């Protein structure tokens, strides 16, 4: 089955710096890769996603890149702000269905 | 449009007790999912449903049962609760329409403690 590894588990940056979170997946048939943000005590919420026919996608300060050959994808946050502090989860779809396999999460702390 | 809702928000059980968690969605989604979230382990799929009357096992189904009698509702049952089932439970739903984005929308979660 699909396996998703996520690194780092914690990431501390200064406000204004960039943050990068990386995930690798095992199933070459996976074709959908969402990123979720979860604030303390809240539900996971989708912040950006990418499909396997696209190499990069941007939405304001957030971008995701996908390398299908290496089977890894990354979340990039530029000009980080304290409100970016949260746990971020990557996920990959299982072949043939909308089931997602999640990474173990990255706790991002942005210090003012 | 409430999206995905879950009841209850919190529950404390004693070992061996039973309970049912209710998930409801008003987005007319075909697919629904139950996850558990434990520290350091991300979200793990317990059971899922591809439509009314259908259910299937996910990654960690042991000790849980589910039912999808109505399209908008997905119930998660614990017949005999164990301390290992202490967790935060999230329900999610997504559309099966070909033009959909595959996005899964999550409920607010249920924090369950089994003593």
């Amino acid at each position: 089955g699909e396996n998703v590894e996520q690194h780092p588990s914690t990431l501390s940056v200064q406000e204004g710096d960039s943050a990068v979170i990386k995930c690798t997946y095992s199933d070459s048939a996976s074709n959908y890769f969402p990123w979720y943000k979860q604030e303390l005590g809240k539900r996971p919420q989708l912040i950006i996603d990418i499909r396997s026919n696209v190499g990069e996608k941007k939405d304001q300060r957030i971008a995701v890149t996908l390398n299908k050959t290496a089977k890894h994808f990354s979340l990039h946050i530029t000009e980080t702000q304290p409100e970016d502090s949260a746990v971020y989860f990557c996920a990959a779809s299982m072949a043939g269905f909308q089931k997602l396999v999640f990474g173990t999460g990255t706790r991002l702390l942005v210090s003012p | 449009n409430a999206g995905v809702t879950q009841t209850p928000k919190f529950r404390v059980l004693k070992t061996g007790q039973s309970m049912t968690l209710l998930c409801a969605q008003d987005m007319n989604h075909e697919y629904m999912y139950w996850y558990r979230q434990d520290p350091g382990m991300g979200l793990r799929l317990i059971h899922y449903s591809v439509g009314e009357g259908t259910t299937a096992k996910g990654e960690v189904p042991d000790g849980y049962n589910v039912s999808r009698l109505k399209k908008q509702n997905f119930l998660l049952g614990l017949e005999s609760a164990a301390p290992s089932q202490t967790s935060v439970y999230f329900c999610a739903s997504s559309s099966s329409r070909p033009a959909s984005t595959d996005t899964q929308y999550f409920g607010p979660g249920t924090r369950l403690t089994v003593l």
Side-chain angles (χ1 to χ4, degrees), chain A residues 48-66:
Chain A
I48 195 166
D49 56 15
I50 192 167
R51 294 190 174 278
S52 57
N53 58 348
V54 175
E56 183 175 358
K57 184 177 178 181
K58 271 187 96 169
D59 183 3
Q60 299 182 336
R61 297 186 296 109
I62 294 172
V64 57
T65 58
L66 172 65

Side-chain angles (χ1 to χ4, degrees), chain B residues 1-79:
Chain B
N1 193 342
V4 182
T5 58
Q6 292 181 233
T7 54
K9 288 185 170 57
F10 304 93
R11 186 72 186 268
V12 178
L13 290 178
K14 294 181 180 177
T15 297
Q17 287 185 318
S18 64
M19 78 162 295
T20 300
L21 283 67
L22 172 63
C23 175
Q25 53 93 6
D26 60 4
M27 296 176 283
N28 202 32
H29 284 169
E30 289 76 19
Y31 300 157
M32 296 186 75
Y33 316 83
W34 275 107
Y35 294 91
R36 61 177 289 173
Q37 184 175 37
D38 302 295
M41 301 191 75
L43 292 148
R44 292 182 293 167
L45 184 65
I46 304 171
H47 286 281
Y48 64 97
S49 169
V50 301
E52 183 178 322
T54 70
T55 63
K57 294 180 180 179
E59 187 185 353
V60 288
D62 294 343
Y64 305 95
N65 57 75
V66 288
S67 65
R68 183 102 180 264
L69 300 179
K70 293 183 178 180
K71 184 178 183 179
Q72 63 268 32
N73 295 339
F74 195 27
L75 279 63
L76 178 71
L78 287 73
E79 289 187 349

Side-chain angles (χ1 to χ4, degrees), chain A residues 15 37 39 61 80-86 88 108 110:
Chain A
E15 182 176 1
K37 175 183 180 183
E39 297 176 350
R61 297 186 296 109
T80 54
Q81 301 167 2
E83 51 264 39
D84 293 329
S85 296
Y88 292 81
L108 174 65
V110 181

